[in-house]
C-alpha cells in the first residue's frame, strides 16, 4: 500500500522536479547554439523544441502543455494540450518556450532564454485564444501601490515613493515596438529612464521583480503566453504583476469571449496562475542580465540556469558543465 507521503508526492510537484526540468532547458539551449547569429529563427526554434520535448518525456510528472508552441496542426511537438512527461508523477500544468527570443538568437543578440514554468494541474489561465496582453510588473513594493488602469506617470510616482527613490532614478523595461511609442514618451516625460528590449519580455518582467536588478518596472503589451510564464516566476519572487488581455481585432475578441476569458478584467498574478507551488526554470541561450548564455570551453559546454520555486521562495542558480562528446553530433564539432 502506498504511504500518505508517497500519495502527496504524486499529487503535488516537489523540489526534485525543478532539477529534472532544468535538464530540458539546458538541452534546448545547447541545441540552439549552432543557430546563434545564423539568421534562421525557425531553425533555432525547431532544434530547441526537439531537444526539450525529448528530455521532458523522461521527467517524472504528468504534464499538460497549457502554454506551448501553438495549436496541434501548426506545432507537431509541445503543442497546446499535449501530454508530456512519463505520467508517473504529479499532475501539472506546464508552459514551455524552448526559446524566448528566437529573433534574438537568430541575430546573435543578448537575452535569449529557454524557459519552462510549471504549476499544479488546472491552475494556469489558458489565454492562448488572445495573443497579446498589456502587462505591468514590479517587485514587492508595487503590491497595493500600482494599478495598470492608472496613467504610467502616476504609477511611476507611486513606485518611486514606495521604493524611497526619485522618479528620475527609476528604470523601466519596455519592448521596443511602434505600439509603445507613446508609452515610452510618457515614461520619459515623467522623468524615468527606459530600457528598451528588442524581444524577450519574460526576462524583462523577472528583472523588474528581482531585488538586485537595475530594472524597477516592466510595462507594455507583449505575448499572453509569456505573461502566464512570467507570472509563475513572479509568484516565486514575491513580486507584483497585473495583466489585461489585448485582442487585436473583433474576431480575436470573439474567440477570447468564447473561451471564457474576461477581456475587461485586470488579471492579478493569482488570476494568471492560481497555484501556490509554481516552478520557473530558465537556461541562457545567449548572454543576458538574468543568466549567461551557453559557452564552449574546450571539451565542455557550460550552461547557466535559474530555478525559482514559489512554495519555498527560493532562487537557485545552476551552472553545469556538459561533455561535448555527449551532446554534439559529428557535424557540430
Amino acid at each position: 500500500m502506498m504511504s500518505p507521503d508517497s500519495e502527496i508526492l504524486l499529487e503535488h510537484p516537489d523540489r526534485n522536479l525543478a532539477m529534472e526540468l532544468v535538464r530540458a532547458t539546458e538541452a534546448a539551449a545547447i541545441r540552439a547554439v549552432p543557430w546563434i547569429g545564423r539568421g534562421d529563427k525557425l531553425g533555432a526554434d525547431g532544434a530547441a523544441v526537439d531537444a526539450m520535448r525529448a528530455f521532458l518525456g523522461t521527467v517524472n510528472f504528468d504534464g499538460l502543455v497549457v502554454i506551448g508552441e501553438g495549436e496541434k496542426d501548426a506545432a507537431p511537438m509541445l503543442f497546446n494540450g499535449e501530454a508530456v512527461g512519463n505520467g508517473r508523477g504529479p499532475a501539472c500544468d506546464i508552459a514551455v518556450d524552448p526559446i524566448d527570443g528566437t529573433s534574438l538568437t537568430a541575430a546573435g543578440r543578448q537575452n535569449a532564454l529557454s524557459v519552462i514554468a510549471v504549476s499544479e494541474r488546472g491552475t494556469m489561465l489558458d489565454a492562448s485564444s488572445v495573443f497579446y496582453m498589456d502587462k505591468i510588473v514590479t517587485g514587492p513594493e508595487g503590491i497595493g501601490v500600482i494599478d495598470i488602469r492608472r496613467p504610467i506617470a502616476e504609477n511611476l510616482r507611486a513606485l518611486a515613493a514606495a521604493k524611497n527613490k526619485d522618479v528620475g532614478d527609476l528604470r523601466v523595461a519596455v519592448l521596443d515596438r511602434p505600439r509603445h511609442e507613446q508609452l515610452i514618451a510618457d515614461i520619459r516625460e515623467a522623468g524615468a529612464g527606459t530600457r528598451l528590449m528588442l524581444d524577450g519580455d519574460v526576462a524583462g518582467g523577472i528583472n523588474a521583480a528581482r531585488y538586485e536588478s537595475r530594472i524597477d518596472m516592466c510595462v507594455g503589451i507583449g505575448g499572453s503566453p509569456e505573461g502566464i510564464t512570467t507570472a509563475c516566476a513572479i509568484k516565486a519572487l514575491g513580486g507584483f504583476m497585473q495583466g489585461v488581455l489585448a485582442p487585436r481585432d473583433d474576431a480575436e475578441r470573439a474567440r477570447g469571449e468564447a473561451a471564457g476569458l474576461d477581456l475587461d478584467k485586470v488579471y492579478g498574478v493569482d488570476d494568471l496562475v492560481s497555484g501556490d507551488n509554481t516552478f520557473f526554470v530558465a537556461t541562457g541561450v545567449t548572454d543576458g542580465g538574468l543568466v549567461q548564455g551557453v559557452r564552449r570551453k574546450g571539451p565542455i559546454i557550460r550552461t547557466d540556469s535559474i530555478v525559482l520555486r514559489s512554495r519555498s521562495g527560493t532562487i537557485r542558480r545552476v551552472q553545469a558543465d556538459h561533455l561535448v562528446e555527449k551532446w554534439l553530433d559529428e557535424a557540430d564539432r
Side-chain angles (χ1 to χ4, degrees), residues 177-200:
R177 299 288 188 273
R179 62 179 177 266
H180 289 149
E181 287 181 0
Q182 187 60 53
L183 174 62
I184 292 167
D186 290 344
I187 291 168
R188 291 171 176 170
E189 185 177 351
T194 55
R195 292 293 182 268
L196 300 185
M197 302 178 292
L198 293 171
D199 208 344

Side-chain angles (χ1 to χ4, degrees), residues 164-185:
N164 196 27
K165 285 185 173 184
D166 292 331
V167 172
D169 292 329
L170 297 181
R171 297 296 175 265
V172 184
V174 188
L175 281 172
D176 190 5
R177 299 288 188 273
R179 62 179 177 266
H180 289 149
E181 287 181 0
Q182 187 60 53
L183 174 62
I184 292 167

